[in-house]
Amino acid sequence: MAAQYRPYRDEDGIENEQMDWGDQEAGTVQIYEKTSSNRVISNRNLVIGGVGVALLGALMGLLVGYFAHSGHINCKPSLAVALYSIKDEDPSIRSKILALVDPKNIKANLRMFSDTPRVAGSQADQELTLYIKSLWETQKLENVKKVTYDVLLSLPNASSPNKVNIVNEDGSVFFSSNISFEKHGDSLYVAYSPNGNVTGDLVYCQNCLEDNLRFLQESKNINLSEKILIAQIKPGQLLDQIQTVQKYNVAGLLLYPYPKLYNPPLLGGKSHSDTLWLRANGIPHFSLLQNSVGDPLTPGYPATETAYRIEQEQLKLPKVLIQTLSYGDAYHIISSLAGEEAPESWQGGFNFTYRLGPGFLNNKTKLYMEVNNQQEKKKISNVLGYIMGKVEPDRYVLIGNQRDAWIRGVADASGGTAVLMELSRVFGQLLQEGWRPRRTIVFCSWGAEEFNMIGSTEWIEENLKILQNRAVAYINVGIVVTGNSSISVTASPLLYHAIFNSTKEVPNPNEEEKEIGIETVYEKWKKTFPVSRNTSLPLYHLLFAKEQHGKLGILENYVSSAKLMVRPRVKEFDTRGGYLPFVTRAGISAVDVSYVHDAMHVSYPLIHSKYDMLEVVENIIDPTFKYHATVTKVLGELLRDLADSLFLPFNLLEYAEFLSDCSISLRKISANIENKEFQKRYIRYLDTLDMVIEKFGEAAYKFHVSQEHLDLSDPMAIRRINDQLLLLERAFLDSRGLPRNFFKKHLVLSPSEAEIHHDALFPGLEDELAELINNKDQLVSFSLIEQHFPVLIFTIQTATAIISAVV
């Protein structure tokens, strides 16, 4: 008689999670075991026939049983499902990531990447592109590729540098600024400033914002037309300054770093390697384009070879000549001004009395500006490297960094590139050791980001439809270390919970602080930048969650996080972050993490200047590179969590609170508008807005209750929950964009266009309220508010539908 077999069954009736399947693939595991090894001689044909009949009968029985059984929800999954589709993340990978990050590698990377200026489109930038591609191939990332675009860049003229001089009547130079003597490699210019020269009277205008210029023209009777203005650089408000001067037909604008912000102590004799403050001859650089458009010739579409391009003459670029100066040069120029004394609030950080002008004390002198920038079509490249997901390869977790810099760019952006390369090494090693994430990880090195986030924007435009359906989140590895006090985080509300958890897993790098009980990065972050949450959100369900349902796992965790009264501050998105096109154009949740100082008014005074050098990092900020390593660990743990968790770690209750914060801010600001008819109509909208936000909060709570009780043996149920979480951020997009910026599609998280920004405020409404408060374009603003408010309400209702029960 032939050997007997019986079906294999685990004692618990399910597959044992601890079983070692060896090298066998899912579906190839032997599922029968032999009951006896005794052999009995029998008729061969009889045996073959019996086996054939048995197999046929088994197949028929299986088919009949399957179709007769209509409810499969309680069925146990197959081994393939058990091992892959419903398996949760491997928590041991976390400790491996933390152990593998090596600060020595980051230091070596930074030294190499910052050894020469790498302006976008230059030979040095092209060489770095090829190096990163080769490195990722060596690290065994998959499908590594270079993607190239043809874009319009604005570059300095090597043979004819820009000039800012005080000249005599005969044209001879009375005073010359130091921008004329810098090397071409230092790129001392403002990208996309128009070419030309102008000679005229100079006027001091403090911040060069609307209130300043209105005061000069209306209160001081100074005609600003065809004048040259000099003003302090306002961090975060450059676009406001540029837009303002164009309204007044100004001929030129000089911008200098405000000493009280960039060098409060005015430490005269110290070298750049001894201080974080900007030296007197330091000149910041920037691009006039910060509008989320990317390549200016192909707005809205990728700059591929076949793309339609606008004629350069048709570009709506600023018409005012613009140049930056050092505050050392600004001292000499402003101290020479004639005219009335500037108001007390306009007196700056210099040891003289500021005067308004126009013109100089020596009335035979004028100011001369000459800008010789060149607009050139250049090829720029992105580099992409993948680690394909095992279960959901069509879900992408993106992590990227800009590669180019105005000069050497140690903090911005070589530090980020060094960290990104270390992360790709760590995850490449884990891949070679047999680990593979649930979802696909995409490593990205972007080109020409300093000009207008061109590389990332063009790639998003080329892949927009794919990304909107597949992208989970974007982790921006930007300016990773500018200080050593605490981390600072900018993030979408959906990622609050994930970044809180990641920082709780990483030890505080400051050993002295650990001795007094500040053990983790999270604890130091909370202590340095605390914020009290409002308690006005009417999510009354949360208060009784435990009483109603007992211990609820995911729900309990999310509720506890949402109910924290004091937590670390998460900053709003601004116009300068590399995350901007992902959030505003594609509706992809994003996060940016950096280690900073806790007492600086400017995040990093040396940024975009020649003093952003390696010596500052190695001598002052991070000699052992432990803070760089700490940011790398935080980002690595966050990347692992987003790519490998069973459920996307998105807490919808955080978004509900954020929306409520925005509504509360709206009520406070609207109280400053003295117009009874507006107040009457506005309050009606606010009441409706509060109602839809409350419904969103209720839907968020019910969603997590449903998630808590989900059948985890059903891979399609898991996929459905994750798809709802993934698509929520997209629900806040509107195809028409903000009323004053078509390219900002996200109605909740896009940065505002207003001069003065508020935390947690709907940007489209903030723009118009700012106009009303400043008594500008009231009829236009009333009309835009009436149009935009219903769109915002509808958008939140759509988001509520996304996370509601599927019917």
Side-chain angles (χ1 to χ4, degrees), residues 500-634:
F500 291 158
N501 285 344
S502 298
T503 53
K504 289 175 182 177
E505 298 294 340
V506 179
N508 183 356
N510 189 318
E511 295 298 329
E512 294 180 358
E513 292 175 346
K514 289 171 71 174
E515 292 178 0
I516 60 174
I518 307 175
E519 297 285 341
T520 66
V521 172
Y522 175 85
E523 291 169 350
K524 181 57 192 294
W525 178 21
K526 180 179 176 181
K527 182 177 179 62
T528 306
F529 301 114
V531 62
S532 298
R533 304 302 300 271
N534 78 74
T535 58
S536 60
L537 185 65
L539 289 179
Y540 49 85
H541 305 283
L542 306 184
L543 302 177
F544 307 102
K546 291 185 180 181
E547 289 80 350
Q548 291 179 351
H549 301 285
K551 190 172 183 180
L552 295 179
I554 290 176
L555 181 60
E556 181 186 31
N557 193 3
Y558 285 172
V559 168
S560 297
S561 178
K563 289 169 62 177
L564 284 176
M565 295 307 301
V566 179
R567 64 196 310 173
R569 179 175 184 262
V570 181
K571 297 190 298 183
E572 310 287 322
F573 292 119
D574 60 38
T575 59
R576 305 181 306 281
Y579 42 70
L580 189 64
F582 292 90
V583 177
T584 62
R585 299 286 294 277
I588 298 171
S589 298
V591 60
D592 182 277
V593 179
S594 59
Y595 237 93
V596 300
H597 280 287
D598 60 354
M600 281 190 169
H601 297 292
V602 176
S603 60
Y604 188 54
L606 308 180
I607 194 169
H608 294 172
S609 79
K610 66 181 180 180
Y611 292 125
D612 180 13
M613 299 182 70
L614 187 65
E615 290 89 336
V616 178
V617 175
E618 293 187 338
N619 296 344
I620 302 176
I621 298 175
D622 195 12
T624 63
F625 277 74
K626 63 182 180 181
Y627 295 101
H628 282 78
T630 297
V631 174
T632 308
K633 292 174 182 179
V634 169

Side-chain angles (χ1 to χ4, degrees), residues 80 160 179 328 333 342 459-460 596 637:
S160 183
I179 65 170
I333 293 173
W459 185 75
I460 289 172
V596 300
E637 166 57 13

Side-chain angles (χ1 to χ4, degrees), residues 154 162 189-196 288 317-318 320-323 369 371-375:
S154 174
N162 298 345
Y189 75 114
V190 176
Y192 300 105
S193 170
N195 294 343
L288 294 186
L317 296 175
V320 180
L321 300 185
I322 301 174
Q323 178 63 49
M369 278 185 73
V371 177
N372 298 304
N373 298 350
Q374 295 177 321
Q375 292 184 1

